[in-house]
Amino acid sequence: MPKIIPGPLSEKHGEIDQVEKVHVGTRINEAYDFASRPEEWHQEYTKKLLRKIDLRLLHMLSLMFLMSYLDRSNLAQARLAGLEADLGLVGTQFNTCTSILFVGYLVMQLPSNLILTRVKPSIYLPAGMFLWGGISAAQAGVNSYGGLFACRFLLGFAEAPYFPGAVFLMSTWYTRSELSKRYAAFYAGPALANMFGGLIAAGVLNSLEGHAGLRAWRWLYVIESVVTVGLAVIAFFVLPDFPQSTKWLSDEERAYAMWRIANDIGEEEEDTKEPTMMQAVWLAVSDYRTWMFVAMQHCVLLAQTVTFFFPSIVQTLGYDSVTTLLLTCPVWVATFIATMLNAYSASRYKERCLHIVIPMCVTIVGNVMVITVTARGPRFFAMFLMAMGAQCCFMVVLTWISNTFPRPLSKRAAIIAIVNLIGNASNIYGSYLYPSTAAPMYVNAGATVAVLSFVCILLAIVMRFALKHENKKIGAMAVHPEHDYHQDPANAVDRYKGDQQRMVLYQRQFRYMY
């Protein structure tokens, strides 16, 4: 029988500093002797464990993200159902209502992700979802530009904790090699949300117009909000916290879940001092790679701004509203398939750079075609390329971030929040690239997206060479034992920087993926 492991494994609360103290991996191994077990046992046990984790964590997070994206993007469908005319929106007021959501989103982003490391995700994330579901429902009752503006700002504020929190939570359960495919499955949410959103909106517009005295777009908000709130309640009972405090795993499964992560990113010494919240933020902002990823993700998210105006862009083909909404569906089906294939390839070949460069080239071609081609068939094909390219890149970039910053976890949490914070700022000004007066060609939007997509390609290539060079420096630590970080275990910042960090990564046989 394995002996009882004192400390983090036996404690019930889920503070991330317990996960961060990965020297517990050594203590777990002493108790269960996982390291000495045969490879066949690890493969079978990992497969069994991942089935349980995927069922409770990945599937629930993916459904929650689908509803998050549906609730923020349904404004585009509501526009085709008459919202703009009913509320008397003029000029760029619709664009402002689209944009203001991301102001609220950005305000709450970083504080929320730092709070997440101190509270239970199983409570924090569903509570946020319940709140944004209620706010989304309130949009069904607005009668003015001011009311819609306020609801959209609050919706962004309420949704802010979810995405970075979900990504961070997954990084505490899955190894680096497992994250890519699961991030892709998770980020399939937007494509599926736009697909189902188009179908739902078409059905509502076709059958509920005037029902009970309400316009169809108001019913759209009511129906989708009820689903959001209901799913939030379910999530309270299904979503797990961190591995060491999960009750639906056996003692051995909890121990193995923790040991896997500890073994994947390496182990710390028991006397090391954890970085404080502010130290973690400083580690994040002082790393040049953070800002390269920020710029990269900013470009990708700007290219995705088209999502919030996609029905209006498809409407330039000349079809009625219901047909237009239905025509958006095959685009998002193709985008979903392309996203999954790109992520599968990135995971299988452990490559990141080319899986960003190639999709962004597709985005450039799509945008250039939309602003230069007038024939209906080629324009519709170009719309496929616009959606597929940028959507494929997003989770590859996010996976690359998780792979590039293995320790400490609090630094990774801060970086994920910063990247999403500044990256999503592109949606604020990107929303003004698609005013109704720019239809049908949207020249400024297409040109801007094409240029910044090219910038993203350059950044990915530079990052590839930077990490390749960093791997050489890690390998060189074999002849520099004087940099062994164990000589200074109490310094909570310096041991995660420079040659001390490289020595730790060398000792763990860690190498960056690019």
Side-chain angles (χ1 to χ4, degrees), residues 68 71-72 96-109 127-139 142 145-162:
S68 169
D71 288 334
R72 79 173 69 164
T96 300
C97 288
T98 300
S99 172
I100 196 62
L101 178 143
F102 296 98
V103 175
Y105 191 87
L106 299 184
V107 167
M108 189 58 181
Q109 188 94 147
M129 186 180 192
F130 191 91
L131 181 61
W132 92 58
I135 295 169
S136 183
Q139 293 177 98
V142 300
Y145 166 66
L148 182 62
F149 181 94
C151 283
R152 293 288 293 180
F153 174 80
L154 294 174
L155 181 63
F157 196 85
E159 284 197 10
Y162 181 71

Side-chain angles (χ1 to χ4, degrees), residues 232-304:
V233 173
I234 295 172
F236 274 111
F237 300 98
V238 174
L239 201 63
D241 293 312
F242 301 109
Q244 76 279 8
S245 58
T246 297
K247 297 179 180 179
W248 44 264
L249 294 177
S250 67
D251 288 342
E252 185 180 48
E253 287 172 334
R254 281 196 299 271
Y256 190 69
M258 295 176 67
W259 179 83
R260 281 174 5 101
I261 304 302
N263 191 55
D264 185 53
I265 66 174
E267 299 178 348
E268 301 281 15
E269 292 299 303
E270 295 192 19
D271 57 351
T272 56
K273 181 182 178 183
E274 300 303 328
T276 64
M277 186 182 296
M278 292 309 299
Q279 286 173 332
V281 173
W282 172 248
L283 284 168
V285 301
S286 61
D287 192 323
Y288 76 93
R289 295 168 302 180
T290 299
W291 303 108
M292 290 185 67
F293 279 119
V294 163
M296 204 184 304
Q297 197 74 308
H298 188 92
C299 295
V300 170
L301 285 168
L302 179 70
Q304 289 188 17

Side-chain angles (χ1 to χ4, degrees), residues 17 41 70 213 416 431 476:
D17 60 346
W41 183 89
L70 194 63
I416 290 173
S431 298

Side-chain angles (χ1 to χ4, degrees), residues 341-493:
L341 290 175
N342 190 60
Y344 175 80
S345 176
S347 176
R348 179 177 179 181
Y349 296 107
K350 294 181 171 57
E351 201 283 335
R352 301 292 180 258
C353 177
L354 292 179
H355 289 83
I356 294 170
V357 169
I358 294 173
M360 292 310 284
C361 287
V362 172
T363 297
I364 292 172
V365 172
N367 279 275
V368 170
M369 286 182 65
V370 163
I371 66 177
T372 57
V373 177
T374 57
R376 180 179 283 178
R379 275 182 66 79
F380 189 44
F381 175 71
M383 293 171 192
F384 275 80
L385 301 183
M386 289 171 67
M388 291 166 61
Q391 203 82 16
C392 286
C393 292
F394 184 84
M395 290 313 296
V396 177
V397 174
L398 212 55
T399 305
W400 205 359
I401 293 170
S402 295
N403 296 158
T404 303
F405 304 100
R407 61 189 293 272
L409 287 182
S410 53
K411 175 185 176 181
R412 188 196 306 169
I415 289 172
I416 290 173
I418 291 169
V419 169
N420 280 281
L421 176 71
I422 303 177
N424 275 289
S426 63
N427 289 296
I428 296 176
Y429 69 86
S431 298
Y432 292 97
L433 293 174
Y434 299 92
S436 56
T437 54
M441 305 304 287
Y442 296 100
V443 174
N444 289 339
T448 302
V449 170
V451 169
L452 289 187
S453 296
F454 181 71
V455 172
C456 181
I457 290 171
L458 293 179
L459 287 167
I461 293 172
V462 172
M463 180 63 78
R464 178 186 179 92
F465 284 103
L467 294 180
K468 187 175 182 179
H469 181 64
E470 190 64 26
N471 279 346
K472 291 180 179 178
K473 288 185 176 181
I474 293 173
M477 289 296 103
V479 295
H480 291 286
E482 70 274 12
H483 293 305
D484 191 331
Y485 90 111
H486 296 299
Q487 296 173 359
D488 186 22
N491 192 316
V493 175

Side-chain angles (χ1 to χ4, degrees), residues 22-23 83 98 170 199 216 223 285 295 308 316 319 365 478 503:
V22 292
H23 62 265
L83 174 143
T98 300
M170 282 194 286
L199 288 172
I223 292 169
V285 301
F308 304 106
T316 65
Y319 297 103
V365 172
M503 176 56 74

